[in-house]
Amino acid sequence: AEGRPSCYEQFNNNINAGYSYMPDKHSYFNVRLRLMLNNMPHLDSNTKVYNADNPSDFTYRSNLYHSARLSPVIDIYYQRTLPKEQTLAFNITGKYNENKDNRLYTEENEDEVLTYNDNRLTGKQRTFTAEAIYEKKFAKKQTIDFGIKHVQTFAVSEHPVKGSETKSRLGYTYAYGEY
């Protein structure tokens, strides 16, 4: 096998910002924003593969790959300390994911294309989470917790080459307790 000129590029960016506020000794509020951007415009490889006994018998292989990711997140948290060793907390999170993956793989010789695979996939997902927690502390380091949590996800995957699309929705809620 012999290498041919190829291209490789990748860019990763992560941005975080947060804000916390404590108006008194009983309350705490926090907002956090995160943004992840990943872009790989080229992860390409090109090779010439040939038979060592017959160098004129060769195949060119080309693998061209591009991917991109976008993922912003917001996380909002509030906690309140109540009288008699009690605490109430709320957390809400929203997340968006967008992915693109494109791959073109070919094998060819001088006369014909032997293999041609064009795979493209795009996906988008939105997830929302909400949670409420109540905590009560007792003597001798005993604690009781109750909470409820809900998660809702919406997703779409597209295969442009095949002309197909898949949609999904998932939601669940659960309550819990601990002593």
Side-chain angles (χ1 to χ4, degrees):
E2 123 186 357
R4 294 168 53 202
S6 302
C7 188
Y8 176 83
E9 289 181 281
Q10 183 173 358
F11 306 97
N12 295 316
N13 298 291
N14 291 302
I15 300 168
N16 294 296
Y19 173 76
S20 295
Y21 178 63
M22 296 179 69
D24 55 48
K25 64 181 184 176
H26 302 290
S27 300
Y28 175 71
F29 176 76
N30 182 273
V31 175
R32 176 180 253 186
L33 301 169
R34 295 185 307 267
L35 177 63
M36 182 183 73
L37 300 163
N38 294 343
N39 186 16
M40 187 181 303
H42 296 283
L43 179 58
D44 304 339
S45 66
N46 296 298
T47 56
K48 179 180 179 182
V49 180
Y50 55 89
N51 183 337
D53 294 331
N54 183 5
S56 63
D57 180 18
F58 63 88
T59 302
Y60 289 115
R61 291 184 183 165
S62 178
N63 186 21
L64 308 177
Y65 180 72
H66 165 256
S67 74
R69 310 263 184 278
L70 169 68
S71 182
V73 177
I74 184 168
D75 189 352
I76 303 169
Y77 178 81
Y78 176 75
Q79 179 177 309
R80 177 81 180 168
T81 302
L82 305 171
K84 298 183 182 181
E85 298 289 327
Q86 301 176 93
T87 304
L88 192 57
F90 300 95
N91 192 29
I92 298 171
T93 304
K95 182 175 184 178
Y96 176 77
N97 281 320
E98 185 174 330
N99 300 311
K100 293 180 183 180
D101 287 301
N102 300 320
R103 180 174 182 233
L104 177 61
Y105 178 80
T106 58
E107 289 184 6
E108 56 189 279
N109 58 26
E110 289 202 15
D111 299 328
E112 64 182 317
V113 175
L114 305 170
T115 303
Y116 181 85
N117 289 323
D118 188 354
N119 296 312
R120 290 180 232 162
L121 175 65
T122 61
K124 297 177 182 176
Q125 180 180 11
R126 295 182 317 265
T127 302
F128 303 98
T129 304
E131 183 174 20
I133 302 167
Y134 169 80
E135 179 181 278
K136 169 70 175 153
K137 292 181 182 177
F138 297 101
K140 298 183 183 179
K141 297 184 180 182
Q142 296 176 343
T143 304
I144 188 166
D145 295 325
F146 293 104
I148 187 165
K149 184 174 186 175
H150 178 75
V151 178
Q152 187 71 47
T153 300
F154 305 94
V156 176
S157 294
E158 298 173 357
H159 303 269
V161 174
K162 296 178 183 177
S164 66
E165 179 179 87
T166 304
K167 293 182 179 182
S168 66
R169 291 188 169 125
L170 171 66
Y172 59 90
T173 301
Y174 63 90
Y176 56 89
E178 180 179 80
Y179 177 74

